Amino acid sequence: MKVLILGGGQLARMLVLAAAPLGIRCQLVDPAAESCAAELAPWHRIPWQALPERDDLLEWADVITFESESVPAEVLAALAARRPVYPSPQVLAKGGDRWLEKQWLQGLGIPVADHRSVQSLAELQTAVAELGCPAFLKWRQQGYDGKGQWRLHEASDLAEIWRQAEGRPAILEAGVAFEREVSLVASRNTRGEIRCYPLTQNLHRNGILICSEPQAADPLQAEAEGYARTLLETEQYVGTLAIEFFVCEGRLIANEVAPRVHNSGHWTLEGAQTSQFANHLRAICGWPLGETTLIAPTAMLNLIGRWPAEPAALAEAGAHLHLYGKAPRPGRKVGHLTLRQPDQEQLTRQRQRLQQWLEETGALPAP
Ligand code: ATP
Ligand code: MG
Ligand code: MG
């Protein structure tokens, strides 16, 4: 099989790595100035709008997928007229716009936080008066890792925040006083087969994911899987996705959907029988999905900004280092560590120790 991947970041890199043992060949398209997947597969640095004209690439590809949510909807639709595109352009259109995404989830019966559409300073003022504080102003499109997002307090200067948000179409979301955050990663293939991974507990700092830990038997597993199955089946979704949830008073409130492989699923590379990347490829190629069960207690720590020069963690039993080949830059995800241990107690001890070490060396933001 030959897969054309739209986007050339670390998710593409890990897809290419997962494709190799399956005998799947990949090529990449990304208009960005650099691609950390380019050393592993041919990279075509062309504007998205030029892609529908590239008969050579479209004829080469058996299937097209994306790792970047910034591919314009009309480009994806034009590609879908020529080749199978998984997940579908309709899913990207809804998942890539926070307002449409909220309406979509609500329509499926999946709870979301109270929210308002905000297109002007006056609408922002009204929305804050209605929803109260804390609240989150988020751009409808293009935000990630907490970028394009402002946490509002009682004392916030709304005019200043609206200026910082450049007046872009946004939503205001009521702040959720969550007990914890979790995400469900799941895959569905072209035959309709679905596999869900164990619910993963996530810790964010300044809007950036720092740690993920799959839960062996989370009491909310069935509820989360129910929502995921509804979404996957209603959309006839093909590929891997993630749904992020807040846990509030013991129930799930959906935060957002990522119609792609997801950072909170990176632990599956060493912690699950089949990785989220392998299952994404199996799904879009029409192959049977692999087992999604947890092998042993596992956790993932992101490396943010830089990787400490002294790779002490490499000497640790049970620690698996992934560096994405990206130049260091504050707030940038440059790699991750997966920790896998025979028992939960050992895992917790190792995770706490390494997390502290990463904070001290500047590879994780301090608490
Ligand atoms: P990602 O990198 O996951 O795509 P993002 O920039 O799209 O991040 P969100 O997932 O919307 O941003 O928010 C990032 C984090 O900010 C959340 O995981 C949560 O910790 C916090 N947050 C966002 N919205 C709310 C809310 N309504 N109530 C409480 N906390 C929130
Ligand atoms: Mg997001
Ligand atoms: Mg998120």
Side-chain angles (χ1 to χ4, degrees):
M1 289 291 281
K2 298 191 283 295
V3 176
L4 189 64
I5 303 175
L6 311 186
Q10 69 263 24
L11 301 178
R13 181 181 168 107
M14 287 183 266
L15 283 168
V16 172
L17 287 168
L22 295 171
I24 296 171
R25 286 196 284 147
C26 300
Q27 295 199 55
L28 312 161
V29 176
D30 196 324
E34 51 185 358
S35 162
C36 69
E39 64 205 47
L40 303 175
W43 168 34
H44 305 274
R45 189 183 171 205
I46 54 171
W48 294 125
Q49 273 70 17
L51 182 54
E53 311 300 323
R54 286 295 297 266
D55 292 340
D56 57 332
L57 291 177
L58 297 185
E59 276 157 27
W60 174 84
D62 294 312
V63 55
I64 300 172
T65 191
F66 53 86
E67 63 103 73
S68 161
E69 282 156 84
S70 61
V71 186
E74 66 279 7
V75 169
L76 214 54
L79 301 180
R82 305 270 304 273
R83 279 286 181 265
V85 173
Y86 298 129
S88 70
Q90 300 86 283
V91 165
L92 180 66
K94 289 187 265 195
D97 179 308
R98 291 186 195 271
W99 174 257
L100 299 179
E101 182 178 58
K102 290 270 192 293
Q103 314 314 305
W104 176 37
L105 292 168
Q106 277 184 315
L108 294 169
I110 303 175
V112 297
D114 208 0
H115 58 279
R116 299 284 185 277
S117 167
V118 171
Q119 314 246 29
S120 66
L121 176 57
E123 282 183 359
L124 175 60
Q125 287 160 337
T126 308
V128 171
E130 286 176 8
L131 297 182
C133 284
F136 288 76
L137 181 72
K138 301 180 181 180
W139 282 339
R140 280 176 60 163
Q141 293 178 326
Q142 302 282 321
Y144 69 99
D145 287 349
K147 297 185 183 83
Q149 175 171 142
W150 293 263
R151 191 173 198 273
L152 307 189
H153 311 266
E154 301 293 348
S156 294
D157 178 346
L158 298 185
E160 168 57 19
I161 285 169
W162 187 244
R163 197 190 56 77
Q164 285 175 19
E166 300 163 10
R168 291 208 217 173
I171 63 165
L172 188 77
E173 232 178 80
V176 177
F178 55 80
E179 289 115 46
R180 56 195 182 109
E181 290 189 86
V182 295
S183 57
L184 191 84
V185 176
S187 307
R188 180 180 178 278
N189 68 11
T190 51
R191 311 174 194 182
E193 187 192 348
I194 292 175
R195 299 255 186 180
C196 298
Y197 288 91
L199 204 56
T200 298
Q201 191 160 311
N202 301 315
L203 182 66
H204 295 85
R205 204 165 274 165
N206 310 328
I208 304 187
L209 181 67
I210 62 165
C211 177
S212 289
E213 192 168 327
Q215 307 294 294
D218 198 291
L220 293 171
Q221 182 79 32
E223 189 180 333
E225 280 193 21
Y227 292 146
R229 282 175 189 277
T230 300
L231 192 157
L232 292 166
E233 278 164 2
T234 308
E235 293 299 332
Q236 299 281 291
Y237 188 99
V238 175
T240 293
L241 64 56
I243 312 179
E244 295 179 9
F245 297 98
F246 303 119
V247 178
C248 193
E249 294 172 357
R251 298 301 303 269
L252 295 171
I253 297 173
N255 173 25
E256 59 172 350
V257 177
R260 51 170 170 76
V261 289
H262 192 252
N263 193 174
S264 71
H266 289 1
W267 65 265
T268 61
L269 282 166
E270 286 88 14
Q273 293 289 356
T274 315
S275 79
Q276 62 165 349
F277 305 98
N279 262 346
H280 182 72
L281 295 164
R282 288 167 176 243
I284 66 174
C285 291
W287 295 350
L289 298 176
E291 286 282 328
T292 49
T293 42
L294 186 61
I295 297 172
T298 301
M300 186 235 36
L301 287 168
N302 267 337
L303 305 173
I304 296 169
R306 61 185 291 270
W307 164 246
E310 161 62 42
L314 284 178
E316 296 249 349
H320 304 264
L321 176 63
H322 297 258
L323 291 178
Y324 308 149
K326 290 160 77 171
R329 192 189 297 161
R332 190 179 211 200
K333 291 173 179 168
V334 297
H336 71 269
L337 275 173
T338 316
L339 313 177
R340 198 181 68 201
Q341 289 295 335
D343 66 59
Q344 185 62 43
E345 208 181 303
Q346 274 172 279
L347 177 70
T348 304
R349 262 189 278 122
Q350 186 181 43
R351 183 187 50 72
Q352 287 171 343
R353 189 163 41 74
L354 287 178
Q355 188 173 327
Q356 191 186 346
W357 172 68
L358 291 172
E359 285 163 4
E360 285 164 6
T361 49
L364 265 184

